[in-house]
Amino acid sequence: MAGGNERSMKALKEVWKREENSLCADCGKPDPDWASSTLGVFICLSCSGIHRNIPSISKVKSLKMDHWDDAQVQFLAKHGNAMTKATYEAHIPIYYYQPTYNDCQVLREQWIRAKYERKEFTEPGKHLPYSDGVKEGMLWKRGRDSGQFLPRKFLLSEREGCLKYFTKQDAKEPKINVKIDVINATFQPGKIGNPNGLQITYLKDNKTRNIFVYHESGKEVVDWFNAIRSVQFHYLKVAFPIASDNEIKNRLTRNFLKEGYMEKTGPKQREAFKKRWFTLDHRRLMYFKDPLGEVFVGSRENGYSVQKGLPSGTQGNFSWHYGITIVTPDREYLFTCETETDQLEWIAAFTSVINQAMTPQEYAIEAYFKFKS
């Protein structure tokens, strides 16, 4: 018996160390140490927890702690991540967001369920609930003033190229009508206070606006997210007919580069530093007050830079001591972070933006910011 166990473990390790199995089959996390004995995929601990919630589809075991018999090892050897992906990920729409291990639980869970439970991507031309070019339904929306979430009817239309919401079910005119090409959507469960929380950001008169929504069903809110991406993709295909599919895909919804608290002082640099929640959405550094504050972060070739620390002689009172200075052609913006780790992460995020060349649209936004100031 001991010899059989030893033989099985040796065979298991050989399958495990194949290059195709070096990343989690579902989220891409390196060095997965769990596997599904019924699907034949190697997965990480976090994704194994999601698999455990669909026991009719997937039975998971630890590669290090559990016993694997010869038949199970042979099943893993016959399948593995590459073959299983070829089956369950054969026909993923290019606009569909495939989450990584950095993404939130609801995105990863619905991705796994879409693949293995609903088998949404196993055959071509399958009808998908986010591919119709139109989606209508109720979402819980946070009120701007009260902060209370109330049910609101939303309508997404590819034909009209917009997202609308209505304050009443039978209302004929929308409260807001947003063009699809100015929308970004990103999951923000912590900020919204709900595991299915979705933040919809859009531009109105070159100013950033936010809609915070959620749905009780994780599937429904992820379907809304991918429906927005689908409509955006087809809208941009018409707007930029010579662009490749991958180029257009890269222009769809994007995660924020960095979020967190910093302290900020005013333009005179003598005011007290105030703690704000900041969000870096590519070239827009937004901070939450009333109204929403924004700083445009341009490119290095246009006179923008980021520096560690504050200018000597800074007079404003601050309680955090890890400073950051953003230099623009018109002024300097001063911030402080609570820890050195926060400081270095923010500097890295700003540097990644500043090192990128600006697009014609971004030059127009920069001009608006200069005019506004």
Side-chain angles (χ1 to χ4, degrees), residues 75-129:
F75 184 82
L76 283 181
K78 183 179 178 181
H79 292 82
N81 287 4
M83 179 176 288
T84 308
K85 280 173 170 282
T87 299
Y88 290 97
E89 300 181 18
H91 303 283
I92 302 173
I94 191 165
Y95 57 79
Y96 188 95
Y97 185 82
Q98 299 178 45
T100 72
Y101 55 91
N102 291 318
D103 284 300
C104 63
Q105 176 79 5
V106 68
L107 269 174
R108 291 184 292 109
E109 178 175 357
Q110 292 307 314
W111 162 237
I112 288 169
R113 289 184 179 274
K115 286 199 296 181
Y116 306 122
E117 186 178 47
R118 299 192 291 269
K119 297 181 180 179
E120 292 182 2
F121 315 122
T122 55
E123 55 189 73
K126 186 172 183 177
H127 176 262
L128 299 170

Side-chain angles (χ1 to χ4, degrees), residues 261-325:
Y261 284 109
M262 291 192 292
E263 292 182 332
K264 177 186 179 297
T265 188
K268 297 180 180 179
Q269 301 181 5
R270 293 192 296 271
E271 304 93 328
F273 282 70
K274 293 184 179 179
K275 182 180 175 182
R276 304 287 190 199
W277 179 267
F278 286 85
T279 299
L280 182 59
D281 187 6
H282 194 49
R283 296 203 183 275
R284 292 174 177 264
L285 177 65
M286 300 174 284
Y287 53 100
F288 291 88
K289 62 173 189 175
D290 191 16
L292 184 74
E294 294 188 74
V295 177
F296 182 82
V297 183
S299 65
R300 191 172 304 279
E301 62 186 7
N302 291 91
Y304 292 81
S305 65
V306 58
Q307 299 172 3
K308 186 177 181 181
L310 302 176
S312 60
T314 299
Q315 298 178 24
N317 294 325
F318 49 88
S319 55
W320 293 347
H321 299 282
Y322 297 92
I324 297 174
T325 302

Side-chain angles (χ1 to χ4, degrees), residues 63-234:
L63 294 165
K64 294 179 178 178
M65 297 179 291
D66 292 330
H67 169 72
W68 291 77
D69 61 36
D70 287 343
Q72 291 171 332
V73 173
Q74 289 172 13
F75 184 82
L76 283 181
K78 183 179 178 181
H79 292 82
N81 287 4
M83 179 176 288
T84 308
K85 280 173 170 282
T87 299
Y88 290 97
E89 300 181 18
H91 303 283
I92 302 173
I94 191 165
Y95 57 79
Y96 188 95
Y97 185 82
Q98 299 178 45
T100 72
Y101 55 91
N102 291 318
D103 284 300
C104 63
Q105 176 79 5
V106 68
L107 269 174
R108 291 184 292 109
E109 178 175 357
Q110 292 307 314
W111 162 237
I112 288 169
R113 289 184 179 274
K115 286 199 296 181
Y116 306 122
E117 186 178 47
R118 299 192 291 269
K119 297 181 180 179
E120 292 182 2
F121 315 122
T122 55
E123 55 189 73
K126 186 172 183 177
H127 176 262
L128 299 170
Y130 37 81
S131 62
D132 292 336
V134 62
K135 187 167 178 60
E136 183 176 357
M138 303 297 289
L139 293 169
W140 289 88
K141 177 190 173 293
R142 189 167 79 188
R144 179 177 176 182
D145 299 323
S146 67
Q148 182 180 3
F149 282 88
L150 297 170
R152 294 289 183 254
K153 185 177 81 170
F154 281 76
L155 174 63
L156 175 70
S157 171
E158 181 179 318
R159 182 176 61 83
E160 297 181 47
C162 67
L163 174 69
K164 308 174 185 179
Y165 85 81
F166 303 80
T167 54
K168 294 182 180 180
Q169 179 74 22
D170 58 352
K172 292 184 170 57
E173 294 298 322
K175 174 72 173 180
I176 288 179
N177 186 339
V178 186
K179 289 184 61 179
I180 196 66
D181 60 331
V182 299
I183 287 177
N184 185 29
T186 180
F187 279 89
Q188 297 287 326
K191 183 188 297 183
I192 294 173
N194 186 284
N196 300 336
L198 183 68
Q199 178 176 343
I200 299 172
T201 304
Y202 63 97
L203 294 179
K204 182 179 181 181
D205 300 326
N206 272 324
K207 295 180 180 179
T208 303
R209 297 288 183 267
N210 292 296
I211 301 173
F212 299 100
V213 298
Y214 74 86
H215 196 280
E216 295 92 338
S217 163
K219 178 183 182 300
E220 180 67 10
V221 76
V222 173
D223 283 352
W224 269 102
F225 176 66
N226 281 303
I228 289 171
R229 290 175 61 87
S230 171
V231 170
Q232 281 187 335
F233 180 81
H234 292 107

